[in-house]
């Protein structure tokens, strides 16, 4: 199946972001550390052209540590200020403030030369749905200032947040882009929960995920569910269904329910920590472990 989701409110949010960028000093973009390329919205690069850029590799606790380090190096070489973050645990949060200040150093010095003092840095926080923007902002502000949730679309509108005398944040709704040219990008975005699950086929996501894991991270599914692994995604779902006692009336194995367990366990880090793409990898099939 093709993975596409671009509801009307995202078009409106994108237009508002373009207007608000006129007021902004730095753009702080969150991506999911498990898919740093696929979760990075190319429209934001276009809109934020000329602005200082800070990139946060969020949910790093769920990703392969070595590959997160490789992505950090990759994006730093591309000119971004990069911080590895686990917003739930607070890892990396303290570093963000100093990095934002560093990204805006030239602007701050320019203001000082003009006699402008004590004007806070204005930072726009952006990202696709479900990458953890609200959780990050609450951790950064050290208090609950915005709603959070493990599903796309929790943040509905923009919100200015004064952190301290030095920084103001503009929270924005998560937006995707109108069309994923690469099916693999859409698949990865669906796997991390950035597309409304109601429009997806859960068994297909489970099939794709089990194939990826058995190929690239052998042993994890066996350790989690106590099943022998094979290279057939459909058979793996049947084995997970049997191990988790996912049954329909009459005793038939409920593959859809098993796929749901697999996806939830993946999204919550209960299977293990892994990354679905490496720098310059064009598709999941190229993600061979070395």
């Amino acid at each position: 199946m093709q993975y596409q989701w671009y509801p009307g409110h995202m078009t409106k949010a994108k237009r508002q972001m373009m207007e608000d960028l006129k007021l902004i000093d730095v753009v702080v973009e969150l991506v999911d550390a498990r898919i740093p390329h696929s979760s990075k919205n190319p429209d934001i690069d276009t809109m934020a052209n000329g602005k200082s850029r800070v990139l946060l590799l969020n949910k790093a606790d769920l990703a392969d540590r070595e590959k997160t380090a490789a992505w950090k190096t990759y994006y730093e070489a591309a000119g971004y200020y990069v911080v590895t973050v686990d917003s739930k645990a607070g890892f990396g949060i303290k570093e963000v403030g100093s990095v934002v200040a560093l990204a805006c150093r030239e602007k701050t010095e320019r203001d000082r030369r003009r006699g402008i003092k004590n004007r806070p840095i204005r930072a726009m926080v952006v990202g696709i749905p479900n990458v953890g923007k609200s959780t990050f902002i609450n951790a950064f502000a050290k208090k609950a200032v915005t709603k959070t949730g493990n599903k796309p679309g929790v943040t509905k509108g923009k919100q200015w947040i004064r952190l301290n005398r030095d920084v103001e944040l503009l929270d924005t709704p998560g937006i995707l882009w109108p069309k994923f040219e690469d099916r693999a990008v859409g698949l990865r975005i669906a796997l991390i929960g950035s597309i409304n699950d109601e429009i997806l086929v859960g068994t297909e996501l489970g099939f794709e995920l089990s194939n990826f894991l058995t190929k690239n991270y052998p042993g994890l599914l066996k350790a989690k569910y106590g099943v022998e692994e094979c290279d057939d995604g459909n058979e793996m779902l049947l084995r997970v269904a049997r191990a988790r006692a996912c049954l329909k009336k009459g005793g038939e194995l409920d593959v859809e329910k098993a796929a749901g367990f697999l996806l939830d366990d993946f999204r919550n880090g209960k299977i293990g920590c892994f990354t679905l793409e490496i720098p310059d990898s064009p598709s999941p099939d190229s993600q061979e472990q070395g």
Side-chain angles (χ1 to χ4, degrees):
M1 67 175 290
Q2 290 296 315
Y3 303 93
Q4 301 291 340
W5 188 49
Y6 194 68
H9 74 269
M10 291 188 183
T11 302
K12 180 180 179 181
K14 179 181 175 181
R15 286 198 300 264
Q16 185 63 59
M17 285 173 62
M18 293 176 69
E19 286 296 314
D20 291 333
L21 276 165
K22 300 171 184 176
L23 310 171
I24 296 300
D25 302 311
V26 58
V27 175
V28 178
E29 182 176 5
L30 275 76
V31 296
D32 190 305
R34 294 168 293 182
I35 55 168
H37 167 69
S38 295
S39 60
K40 193 173 186 305
N41 187 339
D43 283 355
I44 291 174
D45 290 335
T46 301
M47 291 189 292
N49 186 34
K51 298 290 183 180
S52 297
R53 302 291 302 277
V54 174
L55 190 69
L56 306 185
L57 300 174
N58 196 33
K59 302 190 179 184
D61 56 309
L62 304 179
D64 185 314
R65 183 176 298 180
E66 291 185 3
K67 290 177 177 54
T68 298
W71 276 110
K72 186 175 188 293
T73 300
Y74 175 86
Y75 278 120
E76 285 176 339
Y80 293 87
Y81 293 90
V82 185
V83 184
T84 300
V85 176
D86 170 8
S87 295
K88 284 189 175 180
F91 173 79
I93 297 296
K94 289 183 178 179
E95 186 181 350
V96 174
S98 59
V99 170
V100 167
L102 181 62
C104 295
R105 180 176 53 188
E106 290 185 9
K107 174 256 168 202
T108 302
E109 292 177 352
R110 190 164 57 248
D111 283 351
R112 188 178 296 114
R113 289 196 298 269
R114 293 173 178 172
I116 302 172
K117 298 180 180 180
N118 302 322
R119 187 175 83 78
I121 293 170
R122 289 179 171 174
M124 176 184 283
V125 181
V126 300
I128 70 171
N130 209 36
V131 291
K133 294 192 309 301
S134 296
T135 302
F136 160 71
I137 289 174
N138 289 342
F140 198 32
K142 299 180 181 179
K143 58 183 178 180
V145 292
T146 185
K147 293 182 180 179
T148 64
N150 192 24
K151 62 180 181 179
V154 173
T155 302
K156 298 298 184 182
K158 71 175 185 178
Q159 179 183 7
W160 278 104
I161 301 160
R162 182 70 180 262
L163 295 186
N164 49 49
R165 66 183 183 86
D166 298 319
V167 180
E168 288 182 349
L169 292 183
L170 177 59
D171 187 17
T172 61
I175 62 169
L176 295 167
W177 54 106
K179 185 178 181 180
F180 307 136
E181 299 294 342
D182 185 349
R183 179 183 179 275
V185 168
L187 168 61
R188 293 170 184 147
I189 289 173
L191 286 172
I192 67 166
S194 296
I195 296 177
N196 188 344
D197 281 334
E198 294 179 2
I199 68 170
L200 300 171
V201 179
T203 51
E204 181 169 331
L205 290 181
F207 169 85
E208 297 278 7
L209 180 58
S210 63
N211 274 346
F212 174 84
L213 293 177
T214 53
K215 181 178 181 180
N216 294 287
Y217 292 89
L220 284 180
L221 293 181
K222 181 177 181 180
K224 174 63 178 176
Y225 301 111
V227 298
E228 291 300 320
E229 297 180 353
C230 67
D231 58 4
D232 183 331
N234 288 322
E235 175 60 26
M236 283 302 301
L237 287 181
L238 288 170
R239 294 180 184 184
V240 172
R242 194 173 295 113
R244 293 296 302 264
C246 300
L247 302 174
K248 298 180 180 179
K249 289 184 178 180
E252 180 184 356
L253 290 174
D254 191 335
V255 177
E256 185 174 351
K257 187 174 182 180
F261 275 127
L262 180 61
L263 284 170
D264 285 345
D265 287 343
F266 159 70
R267 290 171 179 174
N268 294 315
K270 294 181 179 179
I271 298 175
C273 299
F274 37 78
T275 299
L276 303 184
E277 58 189 5
I278 55 178
D280 295 325
S281 66
S283 70
D285 292 338
S286 69
Q287 167 75 13
E288 298 288 351
Q289 304 297 303

